[in-house]
Amino acid sequence: MVSSQIENPIFLELFNEYQSIIDEYEAILSSLDSDDFSRISEMGLVTKRASLWVDKWEKEIKKANLSHKEKIEIIDEYEKIFKKYIK
């Protein structure tokens, strides 16, 4: 789960799901050898989950009436996740 300051439960849940998808994708990538393509099908499934997540995110962000504070919280969460994977 994401350690977050996000108070909106819908967006907190979405960020936790997002983090899970990224963690799973990263685990698959880090376990691949240059000659091992056995987990490629798993990557396809994770990519599909990510695509469905984007659709859900877009739907929720469009219907949300976010305060300035909530927008900042969301930006901060993306920044935390970005920094975690950009080494």
Side-chain angles (χ1 to χ4, degrees):
M1 294 200 48
V2 173
S3 172
S4 173
Q5 295 178 5
I6 290 181
E7 295 175 9
N8 184 311
I10 293 169
F11 288 99
L12 181 59
E13 180 182 330
L14 283 167
F15 268 106
N16 285 325
E17 187 178 347
Y18 179 67
Q19 183 71 52
S20 172
I21 291 167
I22 292 173
D23 286 345
E24 189 175 343
Y25 193 80
E26 196 257 344
I28 293 168
L29 283 178
S30 66
S31 71
L32 291 177
D33 293 333
S34 59
D35 297 331
D36 178 21
F37 297 101
S38 63
R39 297 192 73 188
I40 296 296
S41 63
E42 289 178 60
M43 289 178 79
L45 294 173
V46 174
T47 301
K48 182 174 179 150
R49 278 183 52 216
S51 179
L52 293 172
W53 180 89
V54 167
D55 293 342
K56 192 179 341 179
W57 175 264
E58 287 177 350
K59 177 185 166 200
E60 291 300 331
I61 207 84
K62 284 179 183 175
K63 75 179 186 180
N65 185 17
L66 298 172
S67 69
H68 179 70
K69 180 182 180 239
E70 288 173 314
K71 290 174 186 175
I72 297 299
E73 290 170 349
I74 288 171
I75 291 168
D76 287 347
E77 282 310 313
Y78 270 118
E79 215 171 68
K80 278 191 230 174
I81 293 170
F82 178 77
K83 287 178 181 178
K84 179 179 177 180
Y85 291 100
I86 303 301
K87 299 172 185 171

